[in-house]
């Protein structure tokens, strides 16, 4: 199992999560220098079904902190959402909660 320490938290890498049981996981989006706030917010509305207010708060948090959890769910539910965000040019990963 590939677990590494990042500050205070252990991170279970995406390839180590057993997708067959739908383990709980977090979809994390990272800050970058090429996507606009409007594009990130629209992506959260379109892909994740978030409200415009929630999308704006998440985009600001990502900008200020460098990353944010944008959705928590079973891994198998998050995988297509992560892929869709990455297809839109966002930097996203899934981290296990276990």
């Amino acid at each position: 199992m590939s677990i590494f320490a990042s500050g205070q938290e252990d991170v279970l890498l995406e390839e180590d999560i057993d997708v067959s049981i739908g383990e709980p996981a977090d979809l994390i989006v990272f800050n970058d220098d090429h996507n606009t706030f409007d594009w990130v917010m629209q992506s959260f509305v379109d892909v994740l079904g978030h409200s415009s207010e929630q999308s704006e708060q998440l985009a600001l948090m990502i900008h200020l902190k460098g990353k944010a959890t944008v959705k928590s769910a079973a891994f198998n539910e998050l995988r297509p959402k992560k892929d869709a965000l990455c297809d839109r040019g966002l930097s996203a990963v899934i981290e296990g909660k276990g």
Side-chain angles (χ1 to χ4, degrees), residues 5-6 9-10 14 26 28-29 41 43 51 63 67-68 74 77-79 82 86-88 92 94 98:
S6 62
E9 47 187 278
D10 290 334
E14 181 177 329
D26 291 327
I28 311 290
V29 174
M41 292 185 306
S43 296
S51 68
H63 177 71
K67 68 177 183 176
E77 179 184 337
L78 294 178
R79 184 64 178 262
K82 178 200 72 105
C86 290
D87 288 347
R88 289 170 171 249
I94 300 171

Side-chain angles (χ1 to χ4, degrees), residues 5-57:
S6 62
Q8 296 289 343
E9 47 187 278
D10 290 334
V11 177
L12 181 63
L13 298 179
E14 181 177 329
E15 60 268 14
D16 295 321
I17 299 172
D18 182 356
V19 299
S20 64
I21 60 172
E23 288 191 32
D26 291 327
L27 178 55
I28 311 290
V29 174
F30 295 90
N31 191 38
D32 62 49
D33 293 331
H34 57 273
N35 286 298
T36 66
F37 271 87
D38 286 340
W39 178 247
V40 172
M41 292 185 306
Q42 188 62 51
S43 296
F44 292 164
V45 169
D46 294 346
V47 174
L48 305 176
H50 290 336
S51 68
S52 58
E53 294 81 11
Q54 185 178 14
S55 297
E56 182 178 11
Q57 290 172 350

